[in-house]
Amino acid sequence: SSSAKVELFMVNNTKKNLIIDAANEKIIFKIIDNNKTYTNDYENSRKNFDRFAILLFKFLEKKMINFDVIDKVLVNLGPGKFSSIRTSISTLKALNILYKFKIYGFSSKDVEKYDYSRVLDLLKKGKLIKNLIKPLYMS
């Protein structure tokens, strides 16, 4: 069963980081687990941000990961698309009530061609904004 796979995966568990970037043309979900990364992207459209939480849970389920093993969630605060940034932040805030992960915000300027290595470097150096989520919407 699906839940048995998740439990099996969690036995040798290390806490994982999840990156969510919905500020630009794609909605990106990326899990970072030691030296492995798992990524899915979706068109940043009204249809997809209306289904944002469903897409996120399907991504995690497909990778046999649940929110209990997520330690940090890094979310793009913009500048970018108003509706999708607002959707990603509000979804994370709601999930955080239940799962208690740490939320960090990063800027679109910290990402180049969907490469998040600079964002991870800023996290390691303690330079990302924690829990103070102030989105920057494009005008």
Side-chain angles (χ1 to χ4, degrees):
S1 89
S2 175
S3 62
K5 289 180 193 170
V6 171
E7 285 176 36
L8 220 150
F9 187 78
M10 287 173 56
V11 170
N12 57 7
N13 147 50
T14 57
K15 289 292 191 172
K16 294 155 188 31
N17 294 330
L18 169 64
I19 294 176
I20 296 180
D21 185 350
N24 299 298
E25 299 309 309
K26 293 180 182 179
I27 298 170
I28 306 285
F29 299 137
K30 185 184 230 37
I31 286 283
I32 295 144
D33 178 20
N34 295 328
N35 294 330
K36 294 184 205 139
T37 62
Y38 309 100
T39 306
N40 264 37
D41 63 77
Y42 305 89
E43 176 189 2
N44 194 343
S45 64
R46 172 73 194 220
K47 176 185 154 205
N48 283 339
F49 65 74
D50 282 350
R51 302 175 50 232
F52 189 88
I54 294 166
L55 294 174
L56 178 58
F57 277 102
K58 281 185 178 180
F59 165 70
L60 293 172
E61 183 181 317
K62 191 173 157 188
K63 305 304 179 198
M64 293 185 287
I65 294 171
N66 65 32
F67 269 104
D68 295 331
V69 299
I70 302 292
D71 182 43
K72 297 176 190 85
V73 179
L74 293 73
V75 61
N76 191 337
L77 302 178
K81 295 184 174 191
F82 173 81
S83 295
S84 45
I85 291 171
R86 187 183 64 203
T87 299
S88 61
I89 292 171
S90 58
T91 301
L92 286 177
K93 284 183 172 186
L95 289 169
N96 191 41
I97 292 168
L98 185 59
Y99 294 106
K100 309 289 185 225
F101 45 78
K102 297 172 196 95
I103 300 174
Y104 292 85
F106 64 91
S107 168
S108 293
K109 295 175 279 188
D110 298 326
V111 180
E112 198 171 310
K113 294 182 181 147
Y114 301 104
D115 176 2
Y116 297 91
S117 54
R118 181 156 185 248
V119 172
L120 294 171
D121 192 42
L122 290 169
L123 176 67
K124 283 180 195 163
K125 291 178 179 175
K127 303 267 186 204
L128 290 185
I129 304 162
K130 183 180 175 188
N131 294 332
L132 182 65
I133 302 299
K134 290 188 173 183
L136 300 167
Y137 305 118
M138 288 191 300
S139 47

